[in-house]
Amino acid sequence: SDLQKQEERGELLQPLIFVLLVLCSVLLYFKVSLMDPGFVKPEEEEGEDKGQDVVIPQIPGDFKLRRCGYCLVKQPMRAKHCQLCQHCVRRYDHHCPWLENCVGERNHPLFIVYLSVQLVVLLWGGYVAWSGLYFEQSREWLQHNIFLLVSFVLIFIFTIVVLLLLVSHLYLISCNTTTWEFMSHHRISYLRHSELENPFDQGIILNLWRFFC
């Protein structure tokens, strides 16, 4: 049959890979959006210092971790209360409105994987949409290709957004900082009291290793 001939020629491999990538992207979306991003629980307060990325000797000795004014738990360093999630989140990065969940200590690496897979899907989809277009200056051409044209424009916009988001996150990860720390450096007490601008930075290689491994 025609289907068997296409399979023998390898013409079904690329659509299959594309569908698998889309499925992987959807599964990652639900995984990152539904999982615990690193909520601070009251019973974990006694072990609050065990999960810190690095000891910071540059912070004065009289510096004390404070209790959250909302949920009243003792906040570990780099944690922040999210008013949308109603929890303090360890190594808080940001609250993602697309995921309806915080990006924090536990789901941040998966969030980066999700962005990477999503970028591949968008680039592939953009290539398919562009390859289906053939340009002619006529009204009939616009009527027959309006769907592909709109699809390509939307894919292009989403690709730029995802690409910028992924690049910015990879840059911050390489510096061992978070979006919240980068944007609110002057408001965060443990950074204001530090002798270094970024006391968590241990070099690009070690920062990436600690984050992903």
Side-chain angles (χ1 to χ4, degrees), residues 79-105:
K80 181 184 181 296
H81 184 87
C82 175
Q83 296 189 18
L84 295 174
C85 292
Q86 295 298 312
H87 284 285
C88 286
V89 180
R90 293 179 180 274
R91 203 181 184 277
Y92 175 87
D93 188 87
H94 71 286
H95 182 92
C96 181
W98 303 107
L99 297 172
E100 280 297 328
N101 193 16
C102 283
V103 176
E105 182 179 74

Side-chain angles (χ1 to χ4, degrees), residues 58 185 191 194-199:
Q58 292 81 5
H185 186 279
L191 293 179
S194 174
E195 296 176 3
L196 300 176
E197 183 177 356
N198 180 13

Side-chain angles (χ1 to χ4, degrees), residues 5-158:
K5 292 179 181 179
Q6 288 179 337
E7 184 179 1
E8 291 174 356
R9 292 196 298 266
E11 295 176 0
L12 297 180
L13 183 60
Q14 289 188 359
L16 180 61
I17 294 175
F18 181 77
V19 171
L20 290 176
L21 281 174
V22 173
L23 180 61
C24 179
S25 174
V26 173
L27 292 176
L28 282 170
Y29 172 84
F30 284 108
K31 176 66 175 177
V32 177
S33 63
L34 296 176
M35 73 181 296
D36 178 357
F39 294 136
V40 181
K41 300 177 176 60
E43 59 269 18
E44 296 176 354
E45 289 186 16
E46 294 181 359
E48 62 195 9
D49 295 328
K50 294 180 181 179
Q52 300 303 326
D53 292 338
V54 60
V55 177
I56 310 175
Q58 292 81 5
I59 291 181
D62 57 352
F63 176 79
K64 295 182 180 180
L65 302 182
R66 69 183 185 88
R67 284 196 176 275
C68 175
Y70 296 96
C71 54
L72 301 180
V73 297
K74 198 170 184 180
Q75 284 185 335
M77 194 173 293
R78 311 191 79 177
K80 181 184 181 296
H81 184 87
C82 175
Q83 296 189 18
L84 295 174
C85 292
Q86 295 298 312
H87 284 285
C88 286
V89 180
R90 293 179 180 274
R91 203 181 184 277
Y92 175 87
D93 188 87
H94 71 286
H95 182 92
C96 181
W98 303 107
L99 297 172
E100 280 297 328
N101 193 16
C102 283
V103 176
E105 182 179 74
R106 294 188 61 189
N107 64 349
H108 200 171
L110 272 181
F111 178 72
I112 298 300
V113 175
Y114 165 70
L115 288 179
S116 302
V117 174
Q118 191 65 52
L119 181 61
V120 173
V121 171
L122 286 169
L123 289 173
W124 198 334
Y127 169 77
V128 171
W130 179 262
S131 62
L133 289 171
Y134 60 95
F135 295 95
E136 293 180 3
Q137 294 183 352
S138 66
R139 190 170 182 178
E140 290 76 14
W141 175 89
L142 185 60
Q143 290 177 347
H144 288 93
N145 292 273
I146 187 65
F147 177 75
L148 276 177
L149 194 59
V150 172
S151 298
F152 177 78
V153 172
L154 290 176
I155 290 173
F156 178 78
I157 294 172
F158 286 129

